[in-house]
Amino acid sequence: MSDFERFHYKTLDDLLSKLDALGVELPVSDDFDVLGEPVRIGDRLAPNRLAIQPMEGCDCTPAGAPGDLTRRRYLRFASGGAGLLWFEACAVVPEGRANPGQMQLTEKTLGEISRLLEEVRRAARDTMGPEHEPLLILQMTHSGRYSRPEGEPAPIIAHHSPILAPKHGLTEDYPLITDEELDRLQDDYLRTAELARRAGFDGVDVKACHGYLIAELLESFTRPDSRYGGPELADRTRLLREVHEKVAAEFPELIPTSRLNTYDAIPHPYGWGVDRQDPSAVDLAEPLELVGMLRRQGAPLLNVTAGNPYWQPHYNRPYDYPIAGFTPPEEHPLVGVGRIIGIARRIQQAYPDLVTLGSGYSYLRQFMPHVAAGVVREGWATMIGLGRQGFAYPDFPRDILQNGRMEPLKSCITCSCCTQMMRDGQPAGCVVRDKEVYGPLFRQGRRLAPDTVRRQAERCRDCAAPTCQQGCPATVDVPAFVRAVADGRLREAYDVLRRCNPLPELCAYICPVEVQCEGECIEGTMTGDPVPIREIQLYVCREARKQGWAGLQLPQEPTDGRIAVVGAGPAGMACALQLLEAGHRVTIIEAAEEPGGLARRTIPSERLQDEDVEAELQARLGEAPEDRLQWRFETALGQDVSLDELLAGHDAVVLALGLTEPVTLGDEARNIEGVEAALPFLRRMKDAPEATMPDRVAVLGGGNTAMDAALVARRRGARDVYLIYRRSFTEMPAWPEERDAALREGVHFVLLTQPTGYRVSDGRLSGVHTVRTELGEPDDSGRRRPEEMPDSEAVIAVEMAVEAIGQRPSGLLAELPGVELNERGLVAVETETMQTSRPGVYAAGDVVNGGTTAVRAVAEGLRAGRAICRALAAAQTA
């Protein structure tokens, strides 16, 4: 935190007194009418002088189309009453995206962006009146040095900067973008501008600020032998000027403009708008000359900004940080506010006919309208733009123009959490004022941030006899991996994990840590706050993938061993990885078209996304040579290949099949429209994210699958979801985390109620027949047995029922020659080796344990793999 006082100005006089003490000149006015005046920009008319600045939400689809949060954000902006909406950075080429969620306007996304603009204009009219038509400007960008199209830094630089290079570890021989590439990039800007015209934008901004590519070109004094750099201003401004000129010539219906950095505080010759001897001092000679060039080319509007958030280490200082310009730690943020407003003043007064849009007002909170009105009345700027204030307070223009004030409790507090969310890889928004939406996202991002993870890891007590390890079915040495993270030894931490769990990332996503390792952490007993082992494990696994540590460690020469693994779920994959790293050749046989098992196909995307599974499997197996690993997808045991055939061609076979047969409420349920088994339902919902639910849905069961089904139904639009369970809350087998999530989201728990059948109307489900139960003595499971109560029958009216009563082995198991089953119909194995009754045949996972956790399946797969390795070694030496 900085040394100056926090923002505790209760009255405008308090603020003015502080400004006077600091020697900062800012005009004020109590008459806000001037802010409601329309502004002519070229041949367009903005209905008032207030603008929403371009603030990235990082919430678009991978293709660059608006996501749900994108639409929500812009509709809130539109309803807020601003006269100009400056749409966020839109990458002109894929490699120029600053994050995977950045907007990109292409032929594929044109329709969705165009529809968003229609919705925005309609929302503005609906709220502000039929005559209110805000201007919509699209910011076109190339992120240059800060490009992260896949989420990891992929810098594209215009010059070598000893000040900025250390951030990404760039060396002096790191390649620069060539003049030829910059020539071609002009076409990319023009193509985006043409699409912007077709989408319905009023203008396009050639972004030249905050250290991105064109802004970096402005400060490329040291770029060697280039038409886009060097000492001459005409060269360093070439890309900006020529794109402006071409846009104006080819698309005269568009307003050509720029959000222009005027000062970035980076010392000369690596900075722009700075005094050559003192980088803390502004020198506007070149920026003013550039503004004149753009004005003479016909640009009617300029968005003035300053600063580089990637350069200033204190730029993101919590609460009272300076929002623009070079600000040494002792500088009060109001000095930074005064600087950027003063820069806009000099530009406006140098070019009176230019519509100058000023920045730097969000820090002023509820006193912003007073300063904004004063600035406009004094001719220091034509329009006033706010960025993060729009995140926090999207209707600030309407409150100013209609109510004559801004509300302190709605205002942005400049905490910079929105920026932190971007850096943590989350969609950005206001955590404080829009907490229901962005609070969980902020916490999620912070949980997996490096500083948070290391701080949490340092809380581990490094127990000599660790109960957390005892709680892990794979017996991972939890203290060893957590302490390695605390010490910064991440590769060692990953090696500790994968020694006992070859799929640690998958398990971290889906295992019930609250009743396993974390549930046994003594820190939880002592403080109520266990070490967050799941988050630490996820962080380590992601870092291992990024750094390339997760690949297979294969012996140079393979053995003669050949093993067939039937099933590509957690048990099968863990076994295959164990065998491959022992040098054996493995064939994986999978009935589905992809690996991952039921977990991948049925666990909702909120808990496990396909790309998460794919990322770990690709990292672990992607480089396995064909002579070591073969895949046979869409191949079913018992249909496409027999156990005898597999044994004839392999030294061992591992049965790692899932339980595929659902338990139903009766055979007739299969033929009732509106009744669906849970796993097919979850698979269908995951494959069709746009699918919706009827108003009333019943979910039968009390396990994790039932919770998943209930949550999916609720999130897909069901007004009432009834989870019908025959025992009490205490006996419910669902993990606490899943059960609590269902409660939070409004699922109705109908307990001590036994579903007995279905009511059908016109061939379609209309209700679930139930009977009340009471609990008797414990049964074989140790839970109290539900007993039906007489004369308690009832019907719960629903349009859909999802049966999550359980899964049972398919008839296939009984047909496997020589493989004995136990009393539950599961494959009987010797516990230590996972060997079945048939020599050479092993089993692991659901067909053995009846379906428990992924990490238990992994542990069993490893046990089977090790036993096979021992057996093959013994056979070789015999």
Side-chain angles (χ1 to χ4, degrees):
M1 291 296 296
S2 50
D3 296 331
F4 50 78
E5 72 271 14
R6 303 254 182 138
F7 192 105
H8 285 309
Y9 314 116
K10 302 299 183 185
T11 67
L12 181 59
D13 285 341
D14 291 341
L15 177 64
L16 294 176
S17 295
K18 190 62 183 181
L19 290 169
D20 186 59
L22 293 169
V24 176
E25 180 188 2
L26 290 179
V28 298
S29 173
D30 293 329
D31 185 355
F32 301 162
D33 287 349
V34 68
L35 301 177
E37 294 174 353
V39 178
R40 183 157 295 282
I41 305 174
D43 62 354
R44 307 295 176 92
L45 194 68
N48 58 57
R49 295 179 183 267
L50 297 171
I52 297 289
Q53 294 279 31
M55 292 291 290
E56 284 188 62
C58 308
D59 48 20
C60 290
T61 69
D68 291 341
L69 287 177
T70 321
R71 289 188 174 85
R72 177 181 183 272
R73 202 155 32 86
Y74 281 101
L75 293 178
R76 281 159 57 93
F77 291 159
S79 299
L84 188 154
L85 304 185
W86 207 293
F87 274 61
E88 66 197 73
C90 176
V92 298
V93 288
E95 65 271 19
R97 295 173 85 175
N99 59 78
Q102 189 169 54
M103 188 177 288
Q104 191 169 8
L105 181 50
T106 64
E107 290 287 352
K108 290 183 178 179
T109 64
L110 174 62
E112 292 177 79
I113 292 176
S114 180
R115 283 190 291 275
L116 174 60
L117 300 195
E118 294 173 3
E119 294 173 18
V120 162
R121 290 190 167 104
R122 184 163 56 249
R125 290 192 297 268
D126 290 346
T127 306
M128 300 299 292
E131 303 302 318
H132 183 85
E133 191 80 12
L135 296 187
L136 309 181
I137 303 290
L138 177 68
Q139 183 171 81
M140 305 188 298
T141 190
H142 186 299
S143 299
R145 188 177 295 267
Y146 306 107
S147 295
R148 299 167 62 97
E150 302 300 328
E152 294 301 313
I156 299 172
I157 66 173
H159 69 267
H160 293 291
S161 170
I163 296 168
L164 298 176
K167 177 177 176 63
H168 292 140
L170 304 183
T171 59
E172 292 183 0
D173 59 352
Y174 190 86
L176 303 180
I177 188 170
T178 66
D179 283 10
E180 292 72 25
E181 289 172 309
L182 291 170
D183 289 339
R184 291 193 294 272
L185 197 57
Q186 292 199 27
D187 295 332
D188 296 314
Y189 275 94
L190 287 178
R191 182 164 49 251
T192 303
E194 195 270 335
L195 290 168
R197 178 191 62 78
R198 288 166 56 191
F201 284 100
D202 297 293
V204 289
D205 158 20
V206 187
K207 184 178 183 179
C209 61
H210 301 157
Y212 296 107
L213 182 62
I214 291 183
E216 182 164 307
L217 286 169
L218 299 180
E219 57 198 29
S220 290
F221 292 90
T222 61
R223 181 178 171 88
D225 304 321
S226 170
R227 291 179 292 107
Y228 290 94
E232 297 300 324
L233 179 64
D235 292 330
R236 284 181 282 113
T237 62
R238 184 181 305 279
L239 183 59
L240 176 60
R241 290 184 297 101
E242 292 186 355
V243 171
H244 257 271
E245 187 174 23
K246 290 175 181 177
V247 167
E250 296 191 26
F251 311 112
E253 60 270 58
L254 289 176
I255 298 168
T257 183
S258 278
R259 182 154 161 83
L260 179 67
N261 232 52
T262 51
Y263 164 74
D264 57 24
I266 299 175
H268 185 79
Y270 309 105
W272 160 257
V274 299
D275 184 277
R276 298 198 173 195
Q277 280 69 48
D278 179 9
S280 68
V282 179
D283 182 347
L284 290 183
E286 285 198 336
L288 283 169
E289 189 174 347
L290 172 59
V291 174
M293 295 174 182
L294 297 177
R295 185 71 190 98
R296 287 189 293 275
Q297 287 182 184
L301 168 68
L302 184 74
N303 191 329
V304 178
T305 186
N308 182 331
Y310 301 97
W311 150 238
Q312 295 148 311
H314 50 278
Y315 190 94
N316 264 349
R317 192 177 302 281
Y319 296 101
D320 296 312
Y321 77 95
I323 53 180
F326 175 81
T327 47
E330 68 274 10
E331 182 179 87
H332 195 284
L334 286 172
V335 175
V337 171
R339 178 184 292 113
I340 191 171
I341 290 176
I343 290 172
R345 172 191 185 182
R346 291 178 60 184
I347 291 172
Q348 181 70 90
Q349 292 177 346
Y351 301 97
D353 63 339
L354 176 69
V355 175
T356 301
L357 193 154
S359 303
Y361 291 85
S362 286
Y363 179 80
L364 299 173
R365 305 191 192 184
Q366 69 268 27
F367 305 115
M368 182 279 291
H370 299 272
V371 176
V375 163
V376 172
R377 289 190 182 281
E378 294 294 328
W380 290 22
T382 313
M383 299 187 73
I384 307 297
L386 289 95
R388 67 196 64 221
Q389 188 69 263
F391 271 173
Y393 194 166
D395 54 340
F396 77 85
R398 192 169 72 236
D399 276 1
I400 293 170
L401 301 177
Q402 295 182 357
N403 303 329
R405 60 174 299 176
M406 283 179 62
E407 299 293 339
L409 290 179
K410 294 169 71 175
S411 291
C412 169
I413 63 171
T414 58
C415 65
S416 206
C417 288
C418 52
T419 306
Q420 186 63 58
M421 294 179 80
M422 294 173 63
R423 295 182 173 183
D424 288 342
Q426 295 293 326
C430 184
V431 177
V432 176
R433 307 303 188 197
D434 203 1
K435 60 186 178 182
E436 289 79 10
V437 172
Y438 292 101
L441 293 171
F442 178 78
R443 292 190 294 273
Q444 179 180 330
R446 285 283 76 207
R447 282 197 297 268
L448 294 178
D451 57 327
T452 304
V453 168
R454 188 161 183 173
R455 188 166 59 249
Q456 293 285 8
E458 289 169 350
R459 297 172 50 222
C460 176
R461 294 175 180 265
D462 198 12
C463 303
T467 52
C468 54
Q469 184 174 7
Q470 178 183 335
C472 173
T475 66
V476 169
D477 189 347
V478 177
F481 108 78
V482 173
R483 291 308 307 174
V485 174
D487 295 339
R489 296 177 281 114
L490 296 185
R491 181 159 194 168
E492 182 179 329
Y494 184 72
D495 288 341
V496 171
L497 276 172
R498 73 171 175 182
R499 273 200 294 271
C500 293
N501 184 349
L503 296 172
E505 189 170 0
L506 174 67
C507 290
Y509 276 114
I510 64 177
C511 282
V513 295
E514 69 276 7
V515 296
Q516 292 179 333
C517 52
E518 275 185 35
E520 296 293 338
C521 174
I522 64 169
E523 188 71 10
T525 302
M526 294 179 175
T527 67
D529 184 20
V531 173
I533 297 168
R534 183 205 303 274
E535 276 79 16
I536 297 172
Q537 184 166 321
L538 278 174
Y539 172 76
V540 170
C541 293
R542 291 178 180 181
E543 193 65 22
R545 284 196 283 107
K546 293 175 189 176
Q547 302 298 334
W549 305 333
L552 277 172
Q553 298 178 349
L554 297 177
Q556 189 169 358
E557 295 296 329
T559 71
D560 293 330
R562 296 178 181 274
I563 300 95
V565 177
V566 184
M573 298 303 296
C575 184
L577 285 162
Q578 172 71 29
L579 293 166
L580 287 165
E581 293 193 334
H584 304 306
R585 305 173 194 268
V586 175
T587 299
I588 299 176
I589 296 166
E590 169 58 49
E593 67 279 0
E594 59 188 4
L598 288 175
R600 177 175 189 169
R601 294 193 291 276
T602 63
I603 291 179
S605 298
E606 288 84 358
R607 287 207 292 132
L608 183 68
Q609 297 194 8
D610 272 1
E611 49 263 39
D612 295 325
V613 179
E614 185 63 34
E616 182 169 39
L617 294 182
Q618 180 63 31
R620 298 291 281 119
L621 290 167
E623 296 182 3
E626 290 186 9
D627 66 328
R628 303 285 185 100
L629 173 63
Q630 293 187 358
W631 296 91
R632 291 176 62 182
F633 291 116
E634 299 183 278
T635 302
L637 181 65
Q639 297 179 18
D640 304 306
V641 65
S642 70
L643 180 58
D644 289 341
E645 288 171 332
L646 291 178
L647 275 174
H650 298 85
D651 299 298
V653 175
V654 182
L655 304 175
L657 303 162
L659 301 181
T660 57
E661 291 293 320
V663 177
T664 69
L665 201 56
D667 291 338
E668 72 279 1
R670 301 171 186 266
N671 301 316
I672 299 174
E673 185 180 355
V675 178
E676 191 169 1
L679 294 185
F681 166 75
L682 290 170
R683 188 177 308 131
R684 181 169 65 86
M685 291 297 104
K686 197 164 186 176
D687 291 341
E690 73 286 350
T692 58
M693 293 289 106
D695 279 348
R696 297 171 299 180
V697 176
V699 177
L700 314 186
N704 297 308
T705 302
M707 300 303 153
D708 282 341
L711 283 166
V712 167
R714 188 84 173 94
R715 290 165 179 166
R716 295 295 182 88
R719 185 186 64 196
D720 292 299
V721 176
Y722 304 98
L723 191 136
I724 306 173
Y725 180 58
R726 60 184 181 160
R727 288 185 168 98
S728 73
F729 202 73
T730 304
E731 283 80 16
M732 189 172 284
W735 301 331
E737 190 176 82
E738 291 293 292
R739 185 186 63 205
D740 294 347
L743 283 169
R744 283 195 304 271
E745 298 209 22
V747 173
H748 308 309
F749 280 56
V750 185
L751 304 176
L752 294 171
T753 302
Q754 172 75 56
T756 59
Y758 296 110
R759 184 176 70 183
V760 179
S761 302
D762 298 325
R764 180 169 180 80
L765 177 73
S766 62
V768 178
H769 289 286
T770 66
V771 62
R772 297 289 293 164
T773 64
E774 58 183 356
L775 298 181
E777 295 301 312
D779 60 14
D780 293 341
S781 72
R783 295 176 296 166
R784 294 177 63 188
R785 186 189 309 275
E787 299 174 353
E788 294 185 4
M789 298 174 64
D791 302 321
S792 63
E793 292 81 4
V795 176
I796 299 176
V798 294
E799 293 84 38
M800 182 177 185
V802 179
E803 296 185 327
I805 305 169
Q807 297 293 119
R808 60 190 175 197
S810 71
L812 165 69
L813 296 185
E815 299 174 4
L816 295 176
V819 177
E820 294 182 2
L821 307 182
N822 61 23
E823 65 279 2
R824 297 171 60 196
L826 302 170
V827 176
V829 297
E830 195 283 315
T831 307
E832 292 301 316
T833 64
M834 310 307 291
Q835 170 83 48
T836 73
S837 56
R838 181 168 181 177
V841 179
Y842 300 75
D846 289 358
V847 292
V848 172
N849 60 47
T852 56
T853 63
V855 70
R856 178 171 172 182
V858 164
E860 291 174 351
L862 281 178
R863 208 177 305 152
R866 290 171 182 150
I868 292 169
C869 290
R870 291 194 299 269
L872 292 177
Q876 191 173 20
T877 57

